[in-house]
């Protein structure tokens, strides 16, 4: 009779077809999620024109979905710790795809805002649960990389939104951008069929037969005898209370991650909501302004993958501090009247170090907490970040309404990136101290 620790076994096992399937399915879900989030930025100029919205009103309208994302992260993260990742992901996916489709039928800002709020609930809940699931099935040596690769689907969704916006909005208006959401609903049966449940969750629920079936796919060469038992060894209890996030010397780390999430998501949604509109106002054509959104998300995709690889090699905290520092510089330079090619380079870097770094922050949270509270930790970090996401478009609308010089606006926009770099520097120092303390206790 053997007791097989699934966490240790996954860390030692090769990354095979089953793990790639998990990464591909979660990445595909996040493509749809990213499309839903970034489609709002592509249609914002058209909405402002059709409904006669001022910049502050437009910023508030954008915030409806972000309010939903905040509540979705806070609700569906802890809920998935209780009902399972797979059910949580399926509920969230159905919620935001259906609501996005319905937003295309809105005839007023109020109707649009309500549908966007409901869609936000699903988007906010999907992110932490896909990260938690991928984090569980990826071996430790590849964990940051695979979470980043999976989450790059979010940026791909943003690029798809920009691409469709360039092709559809000038000829057909903004509504078809939301009708496209009917297509991803066809993916739901595939998700329910192929996406596995968390092994740790199944074992905690006493469903060892289901866990053994999945384990046979995770490690097909490791045959189980009838007497062998799969076990999930964790030093903590299975409590999913938010109080658990501050125990075991995690208080400073939790607060610093929350601060970084707040500032990072403020930047992501500030830029994705207002960058096309700002560039149109300073003289760029509609197509060129939407290409900036494509460049922003393309940078986010490559930045996440590069950051994940660097994080596995040098440690995520160091990489995140460097990325946020680069974000502050690139965002500040966008407002200096650069030639078009250099402007798009700065937008690309800004995307790599804000959207890409958002993904690295999710990976940092997933690695900080044990499985029993991982979705709770991801949900709360994401929920706090959503407050920043709400502030971002609203702040952008208010600032742009003041008609400040473009250079001054982007210098202000760079401040949250600098604050994020500082918060993650504190996180890195505290993480090093915590690791040293744990090592000292273990060797005592």
């Amino acid at each position: 009779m053997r007791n097989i620790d699934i966490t240790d076994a996954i860390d030692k096992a090769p990354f095979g077809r089953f793990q790639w399937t998990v990464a591909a399915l979660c990445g595909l879900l996040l493509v749809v999620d990213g499309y839903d989030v970034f489609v709002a930025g592509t249609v914002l100029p058209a909405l402002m024109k059709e409904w006669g919205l001022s910049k502050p009103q437009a910023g508030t309208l954008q915030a409806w979905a972000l309010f939903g994302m905040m509540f979705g992260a806070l609700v569906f993260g802890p809920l998935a710790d209780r009902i399972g990742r797979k059910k949580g992901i399926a509920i969230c996916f159905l919620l935001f795809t259906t609501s996005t489709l319905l937003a295309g039928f809105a005839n007023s800002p109020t109707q649009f805002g309500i549908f966007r709020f409901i869609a936000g609930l699903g988007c906010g809940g999907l992110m932490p649960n896909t990260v938690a699931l991928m984090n569980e099935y990826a071996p430790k040596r590849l964990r940051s990389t695979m979470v980043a690769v999976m989450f790059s689907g979010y940026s791909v969704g943003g690029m798809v939104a920009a691409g469709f916006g360039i092709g559809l909005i000038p000829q057909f208006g903004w509504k078809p951008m939301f009708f496209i959401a009917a297509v991803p609903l066809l993916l739901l049966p595939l998700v329910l069929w192929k996406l596995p449940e968390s092994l740790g969750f199944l074992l905690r629920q006493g469903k060892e037969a289901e866990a053994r079936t999945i384990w046979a796919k995770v490690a097909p060469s490791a045959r189980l005898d009838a007497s062998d038992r799969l076990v999930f060894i964790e030093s903590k209890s299975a409590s999913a209370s938010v109080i658990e996030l501050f125990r075991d010397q995690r208080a400073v780390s939790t607060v610093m991650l929350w601060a970084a999430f707040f500032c990072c998501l403020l930047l992501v949604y500030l830029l994705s909501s207002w960058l096309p509109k700002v560039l149109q106002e300073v003289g760029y054509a509609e197509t060129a302004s939407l290409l900036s959104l494509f460049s922003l998300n393309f940078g986010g995709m490559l930045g996440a993958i590069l950051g994940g690889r660097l994080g596995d090699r040098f440690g995520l905290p160091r990489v995140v501090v460097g990325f946020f520092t680069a974000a502050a510089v690139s965002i500040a330079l966008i407002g200096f009247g650069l030639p078009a090619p250099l402007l798009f380079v700065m937008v690309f870097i800004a995307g790599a170090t804000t959207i890409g770094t958002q993904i690295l922050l999710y990976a940092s949270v997933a690695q900080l907490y044990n499985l029993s509270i991982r979705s709770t930790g991801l949900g709360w970090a994401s929920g706090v970040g959503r407050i920043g996401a709400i502030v971002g478009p609203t702040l952008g609308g208010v600032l742009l309404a003041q008609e400040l010089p473009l250079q001054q606006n982007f210098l202000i926009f760079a401040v949250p990136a600098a604050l994020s770099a500082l918060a993650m520097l504190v996180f890195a120092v505290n993480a090093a101290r915590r690791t040293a303390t744990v090592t000292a206790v273990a060797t005592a």
Side-chain angles (χ1 to χ4, degrees):
M1 176 178 177
R2 296 178 298 166
N3 286 337
I4 300 172
D5 179 3
I6 58 170
T7 302
D8 182 63
I10 288 174
D11 284 343
K12 295 176 181 177
F15 196 90
R17 181 183 299 178
F18 177 81
Q19 290 93 327
W20 277 114
T21 300
V22 175
L25 285 173
C26 289
L28 190 59
L29 291 171
L30 286 170
V31 170
V32 184
D33 194 1
Y35 180 90
D36 180 273
V37 171
F38 287 102
V39 70
T42 66
V43 304
L44 183 62
L47 291 179
M48 292 178 68
K49 182 178 180 180
E50 180 172 327
W51 289 334
L53 302 175
S54 67
K55 289 174 181 175
Q57 287 173 329
T60 301
L61 185 64
Q62 294 284 69
W64 275 96
L66 304 173
F67 269 113
M69 292 176 79
M70 177 183 70
F71 288 111
L74 295 175
V75 171
F76 287 108
L79 180 64
D81 281 327
R82 293 176 171 84
I83 68 172
R85 309 271 190 263
K86 184 174 180 176
K87 290 180 182 177
I89 288 171
I91 291 170
C92 292
F93 181 73
L94 182 62
L95 196 60
F96 76 73
T97 49
T98 303
S99 301
T100 299
L101 171 63
L102 292 175
F105 295 96
N107 294 313
S108 69
T110 300
Q111 292 178 6
F112 184 84
I114 291 171
F115 288 131
R116 293 299 291 159
F117 175 83
I118 298 172
L121 290 172
C123 288
L126 183 78
M127 292 181 189
N129 283 305
T130 51
V131 172
L133 191 65
M134 188 72 255
N135 194 79
E136 179 174 350
Y137 281 109
K140 188 175 182 179
R141 66 186 181 278
L142 294 174
R143 198 160 289 159
S144 299
T145 299
M146 293 315 303
V147 169
V149 168
M150 177 270 297
F151 219 130
S152 66
Y154 181 73
S155 296
V156 173
M159 289 189 286
V160 172
F164 278 130
I166 292 169
L168 294 177
I169 294 175
Q171 290 188 333
F172 303 104
W174 61 270
K175 287 180 178 289
M177 295 291 291
F178 293 92
F179 296 153
I180 292 172
V183 177
L185 283 171
L186 301 175
L187 294 174
L188 188 58
L190 178 65
V191 172
L192 295 175
W193 177 37
K194 287 292 187 180
L195 195 68
E197 182 54 88
S198 158
L199 277 174
F201 174 81
L202 290 174
L203 293 175
R204 281 164 40 201
Q205 297 293 312
K207 299 178 180 179
E208 187 166 347
E210 292 182 40
R212 290 171 72 95
T213 300
I214 294 175
W215 179 253
K217 300 176 183 178
V218 175
S221 61
R223 297 184 180 276
L224 294 177
D225 294 331
S227 60
D228 293 338
R229 288 180 62 247
L230 296 177
V231 296
F232 176 70
I233 299 174
E234 189 171 33
S235 59
K236 291 196 60 59
S237 66
S239 170
S241 168
V242 67
I243 300 299
E244 299 295 324
L245 306 180
F246 294 88
R247 292 180 175 162
D248 295 330
Q249 302 179 23
R250 289 190 295 247
V252 173
S253 296
T254 294
V255 172
M256 290 301 102
L257 279 174
W258 285 6
F261 258 91
F262 177 91
C263 292
C264 183
L265 268 69
L266 184 153
L267 285 171
V268 169
Y269 292 98
L270 170 65
L271 294 174
S272 64
S273 295
W274 285 109
L275 192 58
K277 179 63 176 176
V278 171
L279 293 181
Q280 284 185 36
E281 289 192 348
V282 297
Y284 286 86
E286 182 178 29
T287 298
S289 67
L290 288 173
L291 279 173
S292 71
L293 199 59
F294 184 93
S295 180
L296 187 77
N297 282 281
F298 187 57
M301 179 184 69
L302 295 185
I305 296 171
L306 175 62
R309 289 296 297 164
L310 293 174
D312 282 329
R313 184 171 182 180
F314 300 108
L316 276 174
R318 295 179 183 178
V319 175
V320 172
V321 170
F323 271 35
F324 275 133
T325 302
V329 174
S330 60
I331 292 170
L333 289 175
I334 290 174
F336 276 76
L338 303 174
L342 191 55
L343 172 68
F344 284 109
V345 170
M346 289 300 106
V347 171
F348 174 87
I349 295 173
T353 52
T354 54
I355 299 173
T357 310
Q358 174 195 191
I359 297 168
L360 301 183
L361 286 176
Y362 275 106
S364 298
V365 176
Q367 292 182 21
L368 177 63
Y369 303 115
N370 297 321
L371 183 138
S372 63
I373 57 169
R374 188 166 293 147
S375 282
T376 299
L378 286 161
W380 273 88
S382 183
V384 171
R386 295 302 160 196
I387 300 174
I390 293 165
V391 171
T394 307
L395 176 65
V398 172
L399 283 175
L400 294 173
Q402 304 303 311
E403 298 185 353
L404 299 172
L406 189 67
Q407 179 179 336
Q408 190 171 337
N409 278 326
F410 279 94
L411 285 173
I412 294 172
F413 295 166
V415 171
L419 293 176
S420 294
L422 180 61
M424 289 307 294
L425 181 61
V426 174
F427 174 88
V429 172
N430 185 71
R433 290 177 178 173
R434 183 169 175 264
T435 300
T437 299
V438 171
T439 302
V441 170
T443 56

